[in-house]
């Protein structure tokens, strides 16, 4: 068996609670948290609509303009792009759909994968995304795949948006999630799927605390934080 990296991966479709859970797991373990979805969203926002149709070399050149770095631990982990913190402007539904399209482009995935890999090799961390356990960190110490019915995820997203003071329609959100799922699961490069050695958790009937408990218990009974420090 190849050496294991001191990394915890969380994969799963849009709206399943990965971001919140990854931050909580990172906080509980005292590790940095890497939100790779935010990297794709940030890149999509900077490239703009229709970027997936650009020639490969133009995309490679434009993507090379933006460098990502990670700082802090747990809830204080912050992703930076060219020295500026990646903030809430990347969290809109429109940017999410742009990100899903740009994520189908091999050269974009190649560039961001190299950056993600480099960050993960610097120090132990919790990495959240779509292909962390299958492509970016296949030798991660712990792998989780979270899932839930589209309707459940849409309702959670609705509550999240309402909490931020944003209006949304449940039927529209459900359809957007189904479309995003289709893009993620059916893309030719690194499609969304569980790693063979991941723990799959259906979160449909579990709240955040319930899922967090399952994940931390699994880590604790398989070596705990010490296995992440000495991997």
């Amino acid at each position: 068996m190849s050496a294991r990296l001191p990394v915890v991966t969380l994969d799963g479709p849009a709206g399943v609670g990965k971001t919140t859970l990854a931050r909580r797991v990172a906080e509980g373990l005292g590790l940095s948290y890497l939100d790779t979805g935010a990297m794709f969203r940030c890149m999509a926002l900077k490239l703009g609509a229709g970027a997936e149709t650009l020639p490969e070399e133009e995309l490679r050149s434009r993507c090379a303009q933006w460098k990502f770095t990670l700082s802090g631990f747990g809830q204080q982990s912050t992703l930076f792009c060219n020295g500026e913190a990646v903030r809430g402007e990347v969290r809109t539904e429109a940017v999410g759909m742009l990100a899903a399209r740009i994520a189908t482009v091999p050269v974009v995935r190649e560039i961001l994968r190299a950056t993600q890999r480099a960050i993960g090799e610097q120090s132990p961390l919790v990495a959240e995304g779509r292909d962390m356990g299958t492509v970016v960190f296949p030798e991660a110490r712990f792998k989780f795949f979270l899932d839930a019915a589209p309707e459940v995820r849409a309702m959670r997203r609705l509550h999240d948006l309402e909490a931020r003071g944003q209006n949304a329609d449940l039927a529209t959100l459900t359809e957007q999630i189904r479309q995003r799922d289709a893009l993620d699961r059916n893309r030719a490069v690194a499609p969304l799927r569980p790693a063979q050695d991941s723990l799959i958790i259906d979160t449909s009937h579990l709240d955040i605390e319930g899922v967090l408990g399952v994940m931390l218990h699994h880590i604790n009974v398989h070596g705990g934080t010490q296995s992440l420090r000495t991997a």
Side-chain angles (χ1 to χ4, degrees), residues 27 69 127 138 163:
E27 184 74 18
T69 55

Side-chain angles (χ1 to χ4, degrees), residues 202-221:
D202 187 338
T203 73
S204 297
H205 304 292
L206 292 171
D207 60 13
I208 292 295
E209 296 301 326
V211 180
L212 182 64
V214 171
M215 296 174 67
L216 292 179
H217 175 74
H218 178 78
I219 292 172
N220 287 335
V221 299

Side-chain angles (χ1 to χ4, degrees), residues 11-34:
D11 290 313
V16 80
K18 297 189 304 295
T19 299
T20 299
L21 284 160
R23 286 187 180 277
R24 292 286 300 278
V25 170
E27 184 74 18
L29 299 176
L31 303 180
S32 296
Y33 155 64
L34 177 62

Side-chain angles (χ1 to χ4, degrees), residues 143-165:
K143 301 179 185 180
F144 298 95
F145 188 91
L146 310 181
D147 208 348
E151 296 79 8
V152 173
R153 289 184 274 138
M155 181 62 73
R156 290 172 178 170
R157 182 60 176 160
L158 178 65
H159 291 160
D160 180 52
L161 292 171
E162 289 177 342
R164 300 181 192 179

Side-chain angles (χ1 to χ4, degrees), residues 40 56 60 105-115 189:
F40 278 98
E56 178 179 318
R60 188 181 295 277
V105 182
V107 66
V108 176
R109 299 200 69 86
E110 171 195 330
I111 290 169
L112 289 183
R113 180 173 66 246
T115 299
V189 180

